[in-house]
Every structure is written in structure tokens, then in C-alpha cells.
Amino acid sequence: MLEKVGAGKETVQLEVASSTVKGAGEKGHKTEKQLEVWNEVTKHFRAGMPLRKHRQHFKAYGNCFTASEAIDWLHHLLKTNSNFGSEVTRQQTIQLLRKFLKNHVIEDLKGRWGTEDLEDNNSLYRFPSTSPVKTIPSRPPLWKRSSLENVFKEREPIFKMPQFSKKTPKRPGSVDSKEEQENEDVTENQGNDDFPKQLSSKDIDDIWGNITLIHLQKILCLPSLEEVLNPAQIKPNYIRYNMTNTSKHGVVVLQDKTDDLPHWVLSAMKCLANWPKNNDMSQSTYIGFERDVFRTVADYFLNLPEPLLTFEFYELFVNILGLLQPHLERVAIEALQLCCLLLPPANRRKLQLLMRMISRMSQNVDMPRLHDAMGTRSLMIQTFSRCVLCCAEEVDLDELLASRLVSFLMDHHQDILQVPCYLQTAVQDHIQYLQRPRVKQGTVPSYYFCKQISTQEFEEQRLATSQAAMMELLENIVRDRNLAVKDKKKKLKQFQKQYPDIYHNRFPTTESEAKLFGDKPTIKQPMLMLKKPKFKSLRY
């Protein structure tokens, strides 16, 4: 039941950029992808924003624009940009312009900047003479010192998958070949105790992790995942759990209920997702009841200690935002499908239930208005974007990027948050490959070789093989007891016409053919033609 439904009457905080998350720092930390997007937007804004003469306080100012004009133009730019999408609101555009003023992308007529004191009015602003483009750091993060290939270094022999091997075969007898043979012998000796190989639970977890990263790297077409993912963040047991512990609808089922959603939150989410069929609600409703229920759910998610996609995977999901384009939509879905498997099971379950709820609410025509000035879909995106994706430290484009991702998740949550069957098949096939019987050291395997023959020998073998097949066909006709005599004679006659030599070898004489049917050969007697006597007429 909803004990907390009517507890709070506070308005849900919709200005997402002004909301804070526990543990957030004061100084901004921008990732490489964010800097690229920032530079792209500022370049387009400076190049395309119309500048003209304005009058203020009986004085004319050239090459400037009003705040409202800038908001109109930038709002249109963001809605047509693939990094943000059509869900960008005017309020979010104002927030970005305030960031522009703070970072000296624009300045007022007196050259003042550094604050976020900008409103939707006729105040005049201009572009500074200095470039607002920010330098993208070339120094790799500290965590890039560890290689992704060494994440499961202690389990390296397990991941010798032939389908992903890129090694060049070595010449027999070479030094490298001998060294590799010695390494293979050591590996083989270590596994001689158990045939087939017995995999532990930790081994299977690592297989899940390794194959997931291989598929993700292939989908993103990256030479290395180190550009977007810290190897130390990967927990293979999370991937395995998210893949194997699900309900019939694909939602993660938690064994430890302490991390699950509280019962009153689940009841509230079920009420909103199935509105107005709120079968779980026994108490009578009142005017504004649905808004109180929505506030209950919103308050819970907005007060989580970290976003559902976690702080550590922020860089990964922000980089995938570049794939949210019409011609790359399928690639983005597959990439997000794998990335969401990296989440802790409790986070993945909450994300699944939240996306299902807000998607149903946005498509429900019977849902009453939850906000006086905003539609249901826009309200869902602005309310929950920061509790789905945000950085541990406040960044300039955080709100817009999160809104874009949440909008895409709402539209494709059924595909993104389902279990990828191909991944499960790949893991099962690899486990079977590892558990196959192995050849013990000292045993000599059997090899088969093909010997080249001449053209004449080939023709002789081909002719002998075909003749043997035809002879077998003829014998089948002869021995078929279910075939009527008339039909058998007809088939034999057809065979004799097509293959006379083979037929003659089987029935060299007429007697041998007649013996098949139990008839004696008969010689047809010539027919004697009796001439009709001619009688001469007698004349008298």
C-alpha cells in the first residue's frame, strides 16, 4: 500500500541542472566526449547566431543579440543536433546559455562574464574576441596504465578462443615456434589432471565478462575499449547474474531483497504504469491523487545516492550518445544492451522497472496531466534524467546529455533491457569448447591426408563409381517384389534404352531376361498368306 502517497506536497524539482547528487564536487570535470560536444555546439552557435544592431537606453549597439533571440536560435540548434534530440526544452536551453556566459562563450555589452545571471528577456549580449573552444587533453587517464587485455590475466589460458585468434602461424622448427610449443606443453600439463576441463564458478564469471567485452568492442568498432571503459570497473559476476536471474518478462530477480525497491514504491509504480487500472490500490482516490503518487516515486529516485547507470560508467554511456542517430540506431541499441549488463543487478532492476513505468505513462492517453505547463513525456524526461545518468562532478552539458539518453531509453527500453540471446549462446558454446576432451601428452593423434591423382585415374574412378551406382539401381528394379510385372518390364525397357551396356552385362541373352519373369522364349511363326483363288467366268 501507499503509506507515503500523501506525505509530501512539495513540487517535484524539474530544473534538473540545478539539482545536485550526493558526493558531487564543486569543480567541473569534463570528459573528452563532453569537450567534443561542447566545442561543436559553441562553434555552430558562434558561426550561425544572427548578429544585428540593437538600441538600448537611446544608444545603438552593433553585432549583438538579445537573450531571447539567442534562446530561440540555440533551442532550434539543439533540437536538430543528434547529440541532444527533439526533447530539448526551452528551459534547458536557458541553462546552457547560462553556462556559455559563465565560460565566456558570450558576454554582456560591458564585457562582463563568469556568472550565470541570464534570463529570457531583451538583455543584450555579444561574442568575445577570444575563441571559446576548449582544449581536449591528450594525456590519457591514470587508469589507462592497465591494459584491457590483462583484466583477466590470471585466467588467461581460459580465454584462448580460436575464433578470435589473430596469431600468425609460425614456421615449424623456428625459435618462436619452439617457445610457443613449450608454453602449450606447460598449459597442457596443468590440465592433464582433469579431462575434460572442470570450470569453477569464477572461471564461468570471467568467461561472461570476456565475451561481453569482445562483443562490445566489435559493436563500437574500437581498437580498444580503454578509451571509454576502465577495466577495473568490470565485474563479470554482475554480467552473469543479470543474464541468468530474470523473470519471464526479462526483469532481474534479486536474491537479496535488501537492495530491492521498497514495497510502497513498487505499489506506486504499478499504480501509475497501469493507470487507471490500479488493482493494487484498495483505498479510494481523490483529486490530484495521481500527482501525489508520482511525487512519491520521483522523490525516491531523486534521493538515490548515485544514478542508476552509476558514476563509474558515465564516460561509457556518454560516448555511446554519439551513436544515437537514425542510421546508427541499431548499433546504439546493441551497444546499450551490453553496457546495461555491466550494471549492478539492483541498479539494472530499478532501471528496467522505471523505464517500463515512464514509457507506459507517456503513451497512456487516459493519464491525467501531472504538470500544468508540461506534457507527460517531457515531465518524465526532466524528472528522471539526472537519476539515470549524471557525473559525480557537475559538468556543463550534463543535463542535456542525460535527457537525450533517457529519451532514447524510453523509446527502446524493451530491446535495450532484454537479455541478448546471442551472448548467452556464445558463452555456452565457449564453455563446451573448454570442456571438450583433450589429447593427453605423449599420445599421437590420427591425421588424414589427400593424395593427388592424375586426370586419367580420376576419370576411371568416376566411371567405375557411376557404373556401380547404375548397376545397383538395376538390381533394385529387378528385386523389387512390390512392383507389378507390367511396370517392371516398362522400367527395364527404359533402363535398357538409357544404359544399354550395363543392361547387356546383366542380361547378356534373351533367355536370361525371360528367366526373370518365368517365361520361355517363343519364336514367332511366320504367317502364311493364302491367296484367294481366282475363278474365271465361263461364257456360254
Side-chain angles (χ1 to χ4, degrees):
M1 300 306 170
L2 299 180
E3 296 86 351
K4 297 190 178 183
V5 167
K9 299 292 183 178
E10 302 84 24
T11 303
V12 176
Q13 187 175 9
L14 299 179
E15 291 76 8
V16 186
S18 62
S19 62
T20 57
V21 181
K22 294 180 181 179
E26 294 180 359
K27 294 184 178 180
H29 170 72
K30 300 175 180 62
T31 63
E32 181 176 337
K33 176 63 178 179
Q34 290 170 330
L35 291 176
E36 292 177 357
V37 176
W38 173 272
N39 290 341
E40 177 186 353
V41 174
T42 53
K43 286 180 179 179
H44 285 300
F45 182 57
R46 284 178 62 95
M49 179 64 202
L51 303 177
R52 62 186 183 88
K53 182 185 295 185
H54 289 80
R55 298 186 65 88
Q56 190 178 70
H57 304 303
F58 305 103
K59 189 175 180 180
Y61 298 92
N63 296 326
C64 59
F65 50 86
T66 66
S68 297
E69 291 172 348
I71 294 170
D72 293 337
W73 195 92
L74 184 59
H75 188 205
H76 180 266
L77 173 66
L78 296 177
K79 292 177 68 174
T80 56
N81 189 289
S82 61
N83 291 309
F84 306 105
S86 59
E87 303 293 340
V88 177
T89 64
R90 188 174 182 84
Q91 182 62 33
Q92 290 173 329
T93 307
I94 296 174
Q95 295 288 349
L96 181 56
L97 269 176
R98 290 172 179 170
K99 300 294 182 182
F100 282 177
L101 180 60
K102 182 178 180 180
N103 290 275
H104 206 193
V105 178
I106 60 176
E107 62 183 16
D108 64 11
L109 295 180
K110 295 183 179 181
R112 294 175 297 191
W113 59 279
T115 65
E116 296 187 11
D117 187 13
L118 185 145
E119 301 296 336
D120 190 354
N121 53 29
N122 292 325
S123 299
L124 296 180
Y125 296 90
R126 65 188 180 189
F127 291 120
S129 58
T130 58
S131 174
V133 176
K134 299 180 179 181
T135 304
I136 299 177
S138 58
R139 182 176 60 87
L142 293 177
W143 49 262
K144 284 193 178 181
R145 297 176 182 175
S146 60
S147 175
L148 182 65
E149 287 75 12
N150 295 329
V151 178
F152 308 109
K153 186 175 182 180
E154 66 278 4
R155 303 292 177 180
E156 186 175 358
I158 297 180
F159 299 111
K160 297 295 183 181
M161 292 180 281
Q163 61 267 35
F164 298 111
S165 177
K166 298 182 181 178
K167 293 184 178 180
T168 304
K170 296 293 189 301
R171 205 169 26 87
S174 63
V175 177
D176 294 338
S177 178
K178 291 180 180 179
E179 292 178 355
E180 290 181 4
Q181 183 64 37
E182 292 176 358
N183 293 335
E184 291 176 1
D185 292 341
V186 172
T187 305
E188 201 68 29
N189 289 336
Q190 292 176 353
N192 279 342
D193 295 334
D194 297 322
F195 293 94
K197 172 69 176 178
Q198 298 297 324
L199 300 177
S200 65
S201 179
K202 180 64 169 58
D203 295 335
I204 297 177
D205 288 343
D206 291 345
I207 292 174
W208 277 104
N210 189 73
I211 294 182
T212 301
L213 295 182
I214 290 173
H215 281 279
L216 181 58
Q217 183 175 348
K218 181 179 179 181
I219 291 173
L220 297 178
C221 298
L222 293 176
S224 174
L225 289 179
E226 293 181 345
E227 296 296 328
V228 296
L229 187 62
N230 183 349
Q233 299 169 351
I234 303 167
K235 295 180 173 58
N237 57 314
Y238 286 174
I239 302 175
R240 181 185 179 186
Y241 191 97
N242 290 331
M243 288 287 296
T244 57
N245 293 270
T246 59
S247 65
K248 61 180 181 180
H249 300 294
V251 180
V252 174
V253 178
L254 299 179
Q255 301 297 333
D256 186 4
K257 301 299 181 181
T258 57
D259 295 331
D260 201 356
L261 290 166
H263 174 69
W264 53 271
V265 176
L266 284 172
S267 299
M269 296 176 68
K270 182 178 179 180
C271 171
L272 294 173
N274 300 320
W275 188 274
K277 298 179 181 179
N278 50 343
N279 298 327
D280 194 38
M281 308 297 298
S282 58
Q283 64 270 29
S284 60
T285 60
Y286 52 86
I287 298 177
F289 173 79
E290 65 282 351
R291 294 194 178 192
D292 287 341
V293 177
F294 177 69
R295 291 190 189 101
T296 301
V297 177
D299 289 341
Y300 173 80
F301 281 97
L302 290 174
N303 290 319
L304 290 175
E306 69 172 352
L308 297 179
L309 299 183
T310 71
F311 291 133
E312 58 186 3
F313 291 130
Y314 177 81
E315 174 73 11
L316 175 63
F317 285 98
V318 166
N319 278 270
I320 294 179
L321 284 173
L323 300 175
L324 302 187
Q325 302 177 20
H327 64 287
L328 295 175
E329 183 175 290
R330 191 65 232 173
V331 178
I333 291 175
E334 293 179 357
L336 288 173
Q337 192 179 58
L338 294 179
C339 291
C340 289
L341 291 174
L342 306 179
L343 300 174
N347 289 42
R348 179 177 170 87
R349 172 176 169 83
K350 293 174 184 176
L351 181 64
Q352 288 175 317
L353 296 177
L354 178 62
M355 288 297 109
R356 185 171 65 175
M357 182 198 74
I358 63 178
S359 178
R360 289 185 180 181
M361 292 177 64
S362 301
Q363 300 173 6
N364 188 358
V365 295
D366 297 327
M367 175 63 66
R369 292 188 65 88
L370 300 175
H371 193 273
D372 296 334
M374 194 178 302
T376 304
R377 180 181 175 86
S378 299
L379 178 64
M380 298 298 108
I381 295 174
Q382 290 203 39
T383 303
F384 296 106
S385 59
R386 291 274 293 193
C387 66
V388 173
L389 176 70
C390 73
C391 187
E393 299 179 354
E394 185 180 356
V395 292
D396 295 333
L397 298 176
D398 202 356
E399 175 191 356
L400 294 174
L401 296 175
S403 299
R404 178 66 174 126
L405 181 61
V406 172
S407 175
F408 192 81
L409 285 173
M410 285 178 59
D411 296 334
H412 304 281
H413 70 97
Q414 292 182 343
D415 294 330
I416 294 174
L417 297 176
Q418 71 175 354
V419 173
C421 297
Y422 71 89
L423 182 65
Q424 195 164 20
T425 302
V427 171
Q428 292 175 352
D429 292 345
H430 187 57
I431 292 176
Q432 293 177 0
Y433 165 76
L434 295 175
Q435 292 179 334
R436 76 196 190 286
R438 303 186 181 185
V439 180
K440 294 184 178 181
Q441 186 180 10
T443 60
V444 180
S446 300
Y447 296 97
Y448 300 91
F449 300 93
C450 295
K451 180 182 179 182
Q452 186 176 6
I453 60 176
S454 64
T455 305
Q456 182 180 358
E457 291 176 327
F458 172 76
E459 291 296 333
E460 292 176 354
Q461 293 180 8
R462 183 180 65 83
L463 181 61
T465 303
S466 61
Q467 287 182 348
M470 291 299 101
M471 291 178 64
E472 183 179 359
L473 175 61
L474 179 59
E475 288 298 326
N476 291 336
I477 297 175
V478 172
R479 297 176 182 177
D480 190 355
R481 297 182 180 180
N482 297 326
L483 197 63
V485 176
K486 183 178 180 180
D487 295 335
K488 183 178 292 188
K489 288 182 177 181
K490 183 177 179 181
K491 288 183 178 294
L492 290 175
K493 188 174 181 180
Q494 292 176 348
F495 191 95
Q496 182 182 15
K497 185 177 180 180
Q498 294 291 333
Y499 308 100
D501 296 337
I502 299 176
Y503 189 86
H504 180 72
N505 292 334
R506 178 65 175 81
F507 302 106
T509 62
T510 309
E511 289 79 3
S512 60
E513 182 181 6
K515 186 179 180 180
L516 176 64
F517 300 101
D519 299 330
K520 294 183 179 181
T522 57
I523 301 176
K524 296 182 179 180
Q525 297 295 331
M527 296 181 63
L528 297 178
M529 301 297 296
L530 297 177
K531 296 183 177 180
K532 186 177 180 179
K534 298 181 179 179
F535 297 96
K536 295 182 178 180
S537 58
L538 296 177
R539 296 182 178 179
Y540 295 96

